[in-house]
Amino acid sequence: MRPLYFENGVLKLIDQTKLPTETHWHQCHTYQQVAEAIRDMIVRGAPAIGVTAAYGIAIGMNAFSETNKDLFFNELQHIAKVIKNTRPTAVNLFWAVDRVVNRAVENSDKSIDEIKKIILQEAQRMDREDVESNRKIGEFGNQLIHPKDTILTHCNAGSLATCDYGTALGVIRAAHEAGKEVQVFADETRPYLQGARLTAYELKEDGIPVTLICDNMAGHFMRIGEVNCCITGADRIAANGDTANKIGTYTLAVLAKENNIPFYIAAPVSTIDFQIQSGNEIVIEERNSREVTHIREHQLAPEGVKVRNPAFDVTPARYITAIITDRGILYPPFVESIKKLK
Ligand code: MRU
């Protein structure tokens, strides 16, 4: 289940605001439309927004019709800035934009048409590499899963959050494909309901047993012994292992430690921000209050009530049992295991 396709100069995104009740492919013809789709969460999930951003630059630069190379690179910097300004937390977005821009700069001696081609090829390479990374995360992570484990996951770190297969759900898929009778508890993940709408949908489609629970039920199931491990994705991992992920991840990690349940993060190395020493340096996106007061068009809360809506939180490294990456499983002390990846 891929959430994005690039065909004939157009980026097609499965509209994740409408899933699972409606399958609508949203078409982006301009880089501004790509930026809007990221901001409005038509596409979401750290790796998926990274690759979407790369295609956005390819679309924007393909529309450049002049012959002056300085103007070409000015436009490239402008588009990169617009796309980076969409969502602040997932480092994959910045990583992807910088990778495409650097590739163009390295080839600045070539013709404009050639550089345009190189930009698109880089985006396509990142798309392919993401799926390969997820398969590797799945292979490594499967080693941590026992034959009849019940795994709790939060948000959606599945095919829909990546270019296919998923990170946290990649591990679950790999275990399922290996014949293990795994079951999943999917937290609904308020306010945007990625768990209820996307994770439950993906797993059901794949025939992997999934049970949907409200976010506040996780502690109960941990305490009564119905959860064997937790696996979530990540939006940004600091050099010390502190991890930003969907709001509510921190709560789960604390509950897991209290109940002696392993807590795993599954993410590609591109989600590690080697520049920051701890999670305190991660910018947490605050989104529109309407996501909390409403579910789609339906109003739940009183008009004008004060709302806070941080989209992510930081789980301190001490709550994380291991980080499953595409280059192997990292164990504490993460300062050491992460440094070795550099
Ligand atoms: O706000 P979202 O839906 O983009 O947040 C997504 C998450 O928090 C995911 O867990 C994370 O991006 C990893 S996706 C493989």
Side-chain angles (χ1 to χ4, degrees), residues 179-236:
K180 295 179 184 171
E181 289 173 35
V182 290
Q183 305 209 29
V184 178
F185 272 129
D187 276 352
E188 64 176 353
T189 318
R190 278 278 287 149
Y192 190 78
L193 299 169
Q194 289 94 329
R197 297 190 304 103
L198 309 175
T199 296
Y201 167 68
E202 263 196 60
L203 293 177
K204 234 174 145 269
E205 287 284 301
D206 275 11
I208 300 174
V210 56
T211 303
L212 176 64
I213 59 171
C214 299
D215 299 322
N216 50 5
M217 297 172 187
H220 167 71
F221 287 112
M222 289 192 202
R223 195 188 64 79
I224 65 172
E226 291 201 26
V227 177
N228 299 107
C229 71
C230 301
I231 314 179
T232 75
D235 288 86
R236 195 184 286 240

Short mmCIF file of all heavy atoms in Angstrom, two decimals, residues 179-236:
data_model
loop_
_atom_site.label_atom_id
_atom_site.label_comp_id
_atom_site.label_asym_id
_atom_site.label_seq_id
_atom_site.Cartn_x
_atom_site.Cartn_y
_atom_site.Cartn_z
N GLY A 179 5.63 -16.05 9.94
CA GLY A 179 4.73 -17.09 10.48
C GLY A 179 4.44 -16.94 11.96
O GLY A 179 3.81 -17.80 12.56
N LYS A 180 4.89 -15.82 12.56
CA LYS A 180 4.61 -15.62 13.99
C LYS A 180 3.16 -15.14 14.14
O LYS A 180 2.70 -14.31 13.35
CB LYS A 180 5.58 -14.58 14.58
CG LYS A 180 7.02 -15.08 14.55
CD LYS A 180 7.99 -14.07 15.11
CE LYS A 180 9.42 -14.59 14.96
NZ LYS A 180 10.44 -13.60 15.28
N GLU A 181 2.50 -15.66 15.16
CA GLU A 181 1.08 -15.30 15.34
C GLU A 181 0.96 -14.03 16.18
O GLU A 181 0.45 -14.06 17.30
CB GLU A 181 0.34 -16.46 15.99
CG GLU A 181 0.17 -17.65 15.06
CD GLU A 181 -0.41 -18.85 15.78
OE1 GLU A 181 -1.26 -18.67 16.67
OE2 GLU A 181 0.01 -19.97 15.46
N VAL A 182 1.46 -12.93 15.62
CA VAL A 182 1.44 -11.68 16.38
C VAL A 182 0.06 -11.03 16.29
O VAL A 182 -0.67 -11.20 15.32
CB VAL A 182 2.52 -10.68 15.89
CG1 VAL A 182 3.90 -11.17 16.24
CG2 VAL A 182 2.40 -10.43 14.39
N GLN A 183 -0.24 -10.29 17.35
CA GLN A 183 -1.47 -9.51 17.38
C GLN A 183 -1.09 -8.09 17.73
O GLN A 183 -0.07 -7.86 18.39
CB GLN A 183 -2.37 -10.01 18.50
CG GLN A 183 -2.65 -11.48 18.39
CD GLN A 183 -4.00 -11.79 19.01
OE1 GLN A 183 -4.89 -10.96 19.00
NE2 GLN A 183 -4.13 -12.98 19.54
N VAL A 184 -1.94 -7.16 17.35
CA VAL A 184 -1.59 -5.75 17.57
C VAL A 184 -2.71 -5.03 18.32
O VAL A 184 -3.89 -5.22 18.01
CB VAL A 184 -1.36 -5.04 16.21
CG1 VAL A 184 -1.04 -3.56 16.40
CG2 VAL A 184 -0.25 -5.74 15.42
N PHE A 185 -2.30 -4.23 19.31
CA PHE A 185 -3.21 -3.23 19.89
C PHE A 185 -2.85 -1.92 19.21
O PHE A 185 -1.69 -1.48 19.25
CB PHE A 185 -2.96 -3.06 21.39
CG PHE A 185 -3.73 -4.00 22.27
CD1 PHE A 185 -3.08 -4.75 23.24
CD2 PHE A 185 -5.12 -4.11 22.16
CE1 PHE A 185 -3.78 -5.60 24.07
CE2 PHE A 185 -5.84 -4.97 23.00
CZ PHE A 185 -5.17 -5.71 23.95
N ALA A 186 -3.82 -1.30 18.55
CA ALA A 186 -3.59 0.01 17.93
C ALA A 186 -4.28 1.07 18.77
O ALA A 186 -5.50 1.06 18.92
CB ALA A 186 -4.14 0.03 16.52
N ASP A 187 -3.48 1.99 19.32
CA ASP A 187 -4.05 3.16 20.03
C ASP A 187 -4.76 4.03 18.99
O ASP A 187 -4.22 4.28 17.92
CB ASP A 187 -2.91 4.03 20.58
CG ASP A 187 -2.40 3.54 21.91
OD1 ASP A 187 -3.00 2.62 22.48
OD2 ASP A 187 -1.39 4.10 22.36
N GLU A 188 -5.89 4.57 19.35
CA GLU A 188 -6.60 5.39 18.35
C GLU A 188 -5.81 6.65 17.96
O GLU A 188 -5.88 7.11 16.83
CB GLU A 188 -8.01 5.76 18.82
CG GLU A 188 -8.04 6.64 20.04
CD GLU A 188 -9.46 7.07 20.43
OE1 GLU A 188 -10.40 6.79 19.68
OE2 GLU A 188 -9.60 7.70 21.47
N THR A 189 -5.04 7.21 18.92
CA THR A 189 -4.13 8.35 18.66
C THR A 189 -4.87 9.65 18.35
O THR A 189 -4.86 10.16 17.22
CB THR A 189 -3.10 8.02 17.54
OG1 THR A 189 -2.61 6.69 17.71
CG2 THR A 189 -1.95 8.99 17.56
N ARG A 190 -5.50 10.15 19.39
CA ARG A 190 -6.10 11.48 19.32
C ARG A 190 -4.99 12.53 19.21
O ARG A 190 -3.92 12.31 19.76
CB ARG A 190 -6.94 11.74 20.59
CG ARG A 190 -8.31 11.13 20.55
CD ARG A 190 -9.31 11.99 19.79
NE ARG A 190 -9.70 13.17 20.55
CZ ARG A 190 -10.03 14.34 19.98
NH1 ARG A 190 -10.03 14.48 18.66
NH2 ARG A 190 -10.36 15.37 20.72
N PRO A 191 -5.21 13.66 18.54
CA PRO A 191 -6.50 14.06 17.98
C PRO A 191 -6.75 13.66 16.53
O PRO A 191 -7.89 13.68 16.08
CB PRO A 191 -6.45 15.59 18.07
CG PRO A 191 -5.00 15.90 17.91
CD PRO A 191 -4.24 14.77 18.56
N TYR A 192 -5.70 13.30 15.80
CA TYR A 192 -5.86 13.11 14.36
C TYR A 192 -6.29 11.68 14.01
O TYR A 192 -6.63 11.37 12.89
CB TYR A 192 -4.53 13.49 13.68
CG TYR A 192 -4.55 13.59 12.19
CD1 TYR A 192 -5.09 14.71 11.55
CD2 TYR A 192 -4.02 12.57 11.41
CE1 TYR A 192 -5.08 14.79 10.17
CE2 TYR A 192 -4.01 12.65 10.04
CZ TYR A 192 -4.55 13.76 9.42
OH TYR A 192 -4.54 13.84 8.05
N LEU A 193 -6.21 10.80 15.03
CA LEU A 193 -6.72 9.43 14.90
C LEU A 193 -5.99 8.57 13.86
O LEU A 193 -6.61 7.75 13.17
CB LEU A 193 -8.24 9.45 14.63
CG LEU A 193 -9.06 10.10 15.75
CD1 LEU A 193 -10.51 10.34 15.31
CD2 LEU A 193 -9.05 9.25 17.01
N GLN A 194 -4.67 8.74 13.80
CA GLN A 194 -3.88 7.94 12.85
C GLN A 194 -4.00 6.44 13.16
O GLN A 194 -3.93 5.61 12.26
CB GLN A 194 -2.40 8.33 12.91
CG GLN A 194 -2.06 9.68 12.34
CD GLN A 194 -2.05 10.75 13.41
OE1 GLN A 194 -2.78 10.68 14.39
NE2 GLN A 194 -1.23 11.77 13.22
N GLY A 195 -4.15 6.11 14.46
CA GLY A 195 -4.25 4.69 14.84
C GLY A 195 -5.57 4.10 14.39
O GLY A 195 -5.61 3.03 13.77
N ALA A 196 -6.65 4.80 14.70
CA ALA A 196 -7.99 4.29 14.37
C ALA A 196 -8.21 4.28 12.87
O ALA A 196 -8.73 3.31 12.31
CB ALA A 196 -9.04 5.17 15.04
N ARG A 197 -7.79 5.37 12.22
CA ARG A 197 -8.14 5.51 10.81
C ARG A 197 -7.14 4.80 9.89
O ARG A 197 -7.52 4.24 8.87
CB ARG A 197 -8.21 7.00 10.44
CG ARG A 197 -9.31 7.75 11.20
CD ARG A 197 -9.55 9.15 10.68
NE ARG A 197 -8.35 9.96 10.68
CZ ARG A 197 -7.63 10.24 9.61
NH1 ARG A 197 -7.99 9.78 8.42
NH2 ARG A 197 -6.54 10.98 9.69
N LEU A 198 -5.85 4.83 10.26
CA LEU A 198 -4.82 4.38 9.31
C LEU A 198 -4.19 3.04 9.71
O LEU A 198 -4.11 2.13 8.88
CB LEU A 198 -3.74 5.46 9.17
CG LEU A 198 -4.27 6.89 8.88
CD1 LEU A 198 -3.13 7.89 8.88
CD2 LEU A 198 -5.00 6.91 7.54
N THR A 199 -3.75 2.93 10.97
CA THR A 199 -3.09 1.67 11.39
C THR A 199 -4.09 0.52 11.37
O THR A 199 -3.80 -0.56 10.84
CB THR A 199 -2.46 1.85 12.79
OG1 THR A 199 -1.44 2.84 12.66
CG2 THR A 199 -1.87 0.57 13.32
N ALA A 200 -5.28 0.75 11.93
CA ALA A 200 -6.28 -0.32 11.96
C ALA A 200 -6.64 -0.72 10.53
O ALA A 200 -6.79 -1.92 10.22
CB ALA A 200 -7.51 0.16 12.72
N TYR A 201 -6.72 0.25 9.66
CA TYR A 201 -7.07 0.00 8.25
C TYR A 201 -5.99 -0.82 7.55
O TYR A 201 -6.27 -1.86 6.94
CB TYR A 201 -7.28 1.36 7.58
CG TYR A 201 -7.35 1.35 6.08
CD1 TYR A 201 -8.42 0.75 5.42
CD2 TYR A 201 -6.36 1.97 5.32
CE1 TYR A 201 -8.50 0.77 4.04
CE2 TYR A 201 -6.43 1.99 3.93
CZ TYR A 201 -7.51 1.39 3.30
OH TYR A 201 -7.56 1.41 1.94
N GLU A 202 -4.73 -0.36 7.68
CA GLU A 202 -3.62 -1.06 7.03
C GLU A 202 -3.49 -2.51 7.48
O GLU A 202 -3.32 -3.41 6.67
CB GLU A 202 -2.31 -0.39 7.47
CG GLU A 202 -1.75 0.60 6.54
CD GLU A 202 -0.29 0.89 6.88
OE1 GLU A 202 0.58 -0.02 6.86
OE2 GLU A 202 -0.03 2.05 7.16
N LEU A 203 -3.55 -2.70 8.79
CA LEU A 203 -3.34 -4.06 9.32
C LEU A 203 -4.49 -4.97 8.94
O LEU A 203 -4.30 -6.14 8.60
CB LEU A 203 -3.13 -4.02 10.84
CG LEU A 203 -1.85 -3.32 11.30
CD1 LEU A 203 -1.76 -3.25 12.81
CD2 LEU A 203 -0.59 -4.03 10.75
N LYS A 204 -5.69 -4.42 8.97
CA LYS A 204 -6.87 -5.21 8.59
C LYS A 204 -6.74 -5.64 7.12
O LYS A 204 -7.00 -6.78 6.77
CB LYS A 204 -8.13 -4.36 8.77
CG LYS A 204 -9.15 -5.05 9.64
CD LYS A 204 -10.33 -4.20 9.96
CE LYS A 204 -11.54 -5.11 10.02
NZ LYS A 204 -12.23 -5.24 8.74
N GLU A 205 -6.32 -4.71 6.27
CA GLU A 205 -6.14 -5.01 4.84
C GLU A 205 -5.15 -6.16 4.65
O GLU A 205 -5.29 -6.97 3.77
CB GLU A 205 -5.60 -3.79 4.09
CG GLU A 205 -6.58 -2.68 3.89
CD GLU A 205 -7.60 -2.97 2.79
OE1 GLU A 205 -7.19 -3.18 1.64
OE2 GLU A 205 -8.81 -2.99 3.12
N ASP A 206 -4.12 -6.20 5.50
CA ASP A 206 -3.07 -7.22 5.38
C ASP A 206 -3.41 -8.50 6.15
O ASP A 206 -2.59 -9.42 6.19
CB ASP A 206 -1.74 -6.67 5.92
CG ASP A 206 -0.99 -5.89 4.86
OD1 ASP A 206 -1.59 -5.61 3.81
OD2 ASP A 206 0.19 -5.58 5.09
N GLY A 207 -4.55 -8.53 6.80
CA GLY A 207 -4.94 -9.74 7.55
C GLY A 207 -4.11 -9.96 8.81
O GLY A 207 -3.96 -11.10 9.26
N ILE A 208 -3.57 -8.89 9.38
CA ILE A 208 -2.83 -9.01 10.65
C ILE A 208 -3.80 -8.65 11.78
O ILE A 208 -4.40 -7.56 11.76
CB ILE A 208 -1.59 -8.07 10.66
CG1 ILE A 208 -0.65 -8.46 9.50
CG2 ILE A 208 -0.87 -8.13 12.01
CD1 ILE A 208 0.54 -7.54 9.30
N PRO A 209 -4.00 -9.56 12.74
CA PRO A 209 -5.00 -9.31 13.78
C PRO A 209 -4.74 -8.01 14.53
O PRO A 209 -3.65 -7.82 15.09
CB PRO A 209 -4.87 -10.52 14.71
CG PRO A 209 -4.20 -11.56 13.90
CD PRO A 209 -3.32 -10.85 12.91
N VAL A 210 -5.73 -7.13 14.53
CA VAL A 210 -5.56 -5.84 15.19
C VAL A 210 -6.79 -5.53 16.03
O VAL A 210 -7.91 -5.80 15.61
CB VAL A 210 -5.29 -4.70 14.14
CG1 VAL A 210 -6.37 -4.61 13.08
CG2 VAL A 210 -5.10 -3.35 14.82
N THR A 211 -6.52 -4.98 17.21
CA THR A 211 -7.60 -4.56 18.11
C THR A 211 -7.40 -3.08 18.38
O THR A 211 -6.32 -2.65 18.79
CB THR A 211 -7.50 -5.34 19.45
OG1 THR A 211 -7.56 -6.73 19.15
CG2 THR A 211 -8.65 -4.97 20.38
N LEU A 212 -8.44 -2.31 18.13
CA LEU A 212 -8.36 -0.86 18.33
C LEU A 212 -8.72 -0.53 19.77
O LEU A 212 -9.73 -1.04 20.30
CB LEU A 212 -9.35 -0.20 17.36
CG LEU A 212 -9.49 1.31 17.46
CD1 LEU A 212 -8.19 2.01 17.10
CD2 LEU A 212 -10.62 1.78 16.53
N ILE A 213 -7.90 0.31 20.40
CA ILE A 213 -8.22 0.76 21.77
C ILE A 213 -8.09 2.29 21.83
O ILE A 213 -7.38 2.89 21.02
CB ILE A 213 -7.30 0.11 22.84
CG1 ILE A 213 -5.82 0.43 22.60
CG2 ILE A 213 -7.53 -1.40 22.92
CD1 ILE A 213 -4.90 -0.01 23.75
N CYS A 214 -8.80 2.88 22.78
CA CYS A 214 -8.63 4.32 23.00
C CYS A 214 -7.28 4.53 23.70
O CYS A 214 -6.78 3.64 24.38
CB CYS A 214 -9.76 4.87 23.87
SG CYS A 214 -11.38 4.66 23.12
N ASP A 215 -6.71 5.71 23.54
CA ASP A 215 -5.37 5.97 24.08
C ASP A 215 -5.29 5.69 25.58
O ASP A 215 -4.29 5.18 26.08
CB ASP A 215 -4.98 7.42 23.80
CG ASP A 215 -4.93 7.70 22.31
OD1 ASP A 215 -4.50 6.81 21.56
OD2 ASP A 215 -5.34 8.79 21.89
N ASN A 216 -6.36 6.03 26.29
CA ASN A 216 -6.31 5.90 27.76
C ASN A 216 -6.53 4.47 28.24
O ASN A 216 -6.63 4.23 29.43
CB ASN A 216 -7.33 6.86 28.41
CG ASN A 216 -8.71 6.73 27.79
OD1 ASN A 216 -8.94 5.87 26.94
ND2 ASN A 216 -9.62 7.59 28.20
N MET A 217 -6.59 3.50 27.33
CA MET A 217 -6.76 2.10 27.73
C MET A 217 -5.43 1.34 27.76
O MET A 217 -5.35 0.22 28.27
CB MET A 217 -7.70 1.38 26.74
CG MET A 217 -9.10 1.97 26.74
SD MET A 217 -10.09 1.25 25.42
CE MET A 217 -11.55 2.29 25.55
N ALA A 218 -4.37 1.96 27.21
CA ALA A 218 -3.10 1.25 27.07
C ALA A 218 -2.55 0.77 28.41
O ALA A 218 -2.12 -0.38 28.55
CB ALA A 218 -2.08 2.15 26.37
N GLY A 219 -2.58 1.64 29.42
CA GLY A 219 -2.05 1.28 30.74
C GLY A 219 -2.78 0.08 31.33
O GLY A 219 -2.15 -0.81 31.91
N HIS A 220 -4.06 0.05 31.15
CA HIS A 220 -4.87 -1.07 31.66
C HIS A 220 -4.39 -2.39 31.05
O HIS A 220 -4.12 -3.36 31.76
CB HIS A 220 -6.35 -0.81 31.34
CG HIS A 220 -7.23 -2.00 31.52
ND1 HIS A 220 -7.54 -2.51 32.77
CD2 HIS A 220 -7.82 -2.82 30.62
CE1 HIS A 220 -8.31 -3.57 32.63
NE2 HIS A 220 -8.49 -3.79 31.33
N PHE A 221 -4.25 -2.40 29.73
CA PHE A 221 -3.86 -3.67 29.08
C PHE A 221 -2.42 -4.06 29.43
O PHE A 221 -2.09 -5.24 29.50
CB PHE A 221 -4.09 -3.59 27.56
CG PHE A 221 -5.55 -3.65 27.21
CD1 PHE A 221 -6.20 -2.54 26.68
CD2 PHE A 221 -6.28 -4.80 27.45
CE1 PHE A 221 -7.56 -2.59 26.38
CE2 PHE A 221 -7.65 -4.86 27.15
CZ PHE A 221 -8.28 -3.75 26.62
N MET A 222 -1.58 -3.07 29.68
CA MET A 222 -0.20 -3.39 30.10
C MET A 222 -0.24 -4.03 31.49
O MET A 222 0.39 -5.04 31.75
CB MET A 222 0.66 -2.13 30.13
CG MET A 222 0.99 -1.58 28.75
SD MET A 222 2.27 -0.33 28.91
CE MET A 222 2.04 0.59 27.42
N ARG A 223 -0.98 -3.41 32.40
CA ARG A 223 -1.00 -3.87 33.79
C ARG A 223 -1.55 -5.29 33.92
O ARG A 223 -1.07 -6.08 34.73
CB ARG A 223 -1.78 -2.90 34.68
CG ARG A 223 -1.54 -3.11 36.18
CD ARG A 223 -2.47 -2.28 37.04
NE ARG A 223 -3.86 -2.64 36.88
CZ ARG A 223 -4.44 -3.70 37.46
NH1 ARG A 223 -3.76 -4.49 38.26
NH2 ARG A 223 -5.72 -3.96 37.25
N ILE A 224 -2.56 -5.63 33.11
CA ILE A 224 -3.16 -6.97 33.23
C ILE A 224 -2.41 -8.01 32.39
O ILE A 224 -2.86 -9.13 32.23
CB ILE A 224 -4.68 -6.97 32.94
CG1 ILE A 224 -4.98 -6.62 31.48
CG2 ILE A 224 -5.43 -6.06 33.91
CD1 ILE A 224 -6.44 -6.79 31.08
N GLY A 225 -1.26 -7.60 31.82
CA GLY A 225 -0.39 -8.58 31.17
C GLY A 225 -0.76 -8.92 29.74
O GLY A 225 -0.34 -9.95 29.21
N GLU A 226 -1.52 -8.06 29.08
CA GLU A 226 -1.93 -8.38 27.71
C GLU A 226 -1.03 -7.77 26.63
O GLU A 226 -1.30 -7.92 25.44
CB GLU A 226 -3.39 -7.96 27.49
CG GLU A 226 -4.36 -8.83 28.28
CD GLU A 226 -5.78 -8.80 27.73
OE1 GLU A 226 -5.95 -8.56 26.52
OE2 GLU A 226 -6.70 -9.04 28.52
N VAL A 227 0.01 -7.05 27.06
CA VAL A 227 0.92 -6.44 26.07
C VAL A 227 2.33 -7.01 26.29
O VAL A 227 2.85 -6.96 27.40
CB VAL A 227 0.96 -4.89 26.21
CG1 VAL A 227 1.95 -4.27 25.24
CG2 VAL A 227 -0.43 -4.29 26.01
N ASN A 228 2.95 -7.55 25.23
CA ASN A 228 4.31 -8.12 25.37
C ASN A 228 5.39 -7.11 25.02
O ASN A 228 6.50 -7.18 25.55
CB ASN A 228 4.46 -9.35 24.48
CG ASN A 228 3.48 -10.43 24.87
OD1 ASN A 228 2.51 -10.69 24.17
ND2 ASN A 228 3.69 -11.03 26.03
N CYS A 229 5.10 -6.21 24.09
CA CYS A 229 6.07 -5.14 23.80
C CYS A 229 5.35 -4.00 23.09
O CYS A 229 4.23 -4.17 22.60
CB CYS A 229 7.25 -5.65 22.96
SG CYS A 229 6.85 -6.04 21.26
N CYS A 230 6.01 -2.84 23.10
CA CYS A 230 5.48 -1.67 22.37
C CYS A 230 6.47 -1.35 21.26
O CYS A 230 7.69 -1.41 21.48
CB CYS A 230 5.39 -0.45 23.28
SG CYS A 230 4.35 -0.69 24.72
N ILE A 231 5.95 -0.98 20.09
CA ILE A 231 6.83 -0.49 19.00
C ILE A 231 6.17 0.74 18.39
O ILE A 231 5.00 0.70 18.01
CB ILE A 231 7.03 -1.52 17.87
CG1 ILE A 231 7.34 -2.91 18.40
CG2 ILE A 231 8.12 -1.05 16.91
CD1 ILE A 231 7.53 -3.96 17.30
N THR A 232 6.94 1.82 18.33
CA THR A 232 6.43 3.01 17.64
C THR A 232 7.48 3.48 16.64
O THR A 232 8.64 3.03 16.67
CB THR A 232 6.14 4.19 18.62
OG1 THR A 232 7.38 4.77 19.03
CG2 THR A 232 5.33 3.74 19.82
N GLY A 233 7.08 4.41 15.80
CA GLY A 233 8.03 5.05 14.89
C GLY A 233 8.68 6.23 15.59
O GLY A 233 8.61 6.36 16.82
N ALA A 234 9.32 7.09 14.80
CA ALA A 234 9.96 8.29 15.35
C ALA A 234 9.96 9.39 14.31
O ALA A 234 9.97 9.11 13.10
CB ALA A 234 11.40 7.98 15.75
N ASP A 235 9.94 10.61 14.80
CA ASP A 235 10.03 11.77 13.90
C ASP A 235 11.41 12.42 13.95
O ASP A 235 11.84 13.05 12.99
CB ASP A 235 8.96 12.80 14.25
CG ASP A 235 7.61 12.27 13.80
OD1 ASP A 235 6.98 11.52 14.57
OD2 ASP A 235 7.22 12.54 12.66
N ARG A 236 12.07 12.29 15.10
CA ARG A 236 13.44 12.81 15.22
C ARG A 236 14.08 12.16 16.44
O ARG A 236 13.48 12.14 17.51
CB ARG A 236 13.42 14.33 15.37
CG ARG A 236 14.75 14.98 15.14
CD ARG A 236 14.68 16.48 15.40
NE ARG A 236 13.99 17.24 14.37
CZ ARG A 236 14.53 18.21 13.64
NH1 ARG A 236 15.79 18.54 13.80
NH2 ARG A 236 13.81 18.89 12.76
#
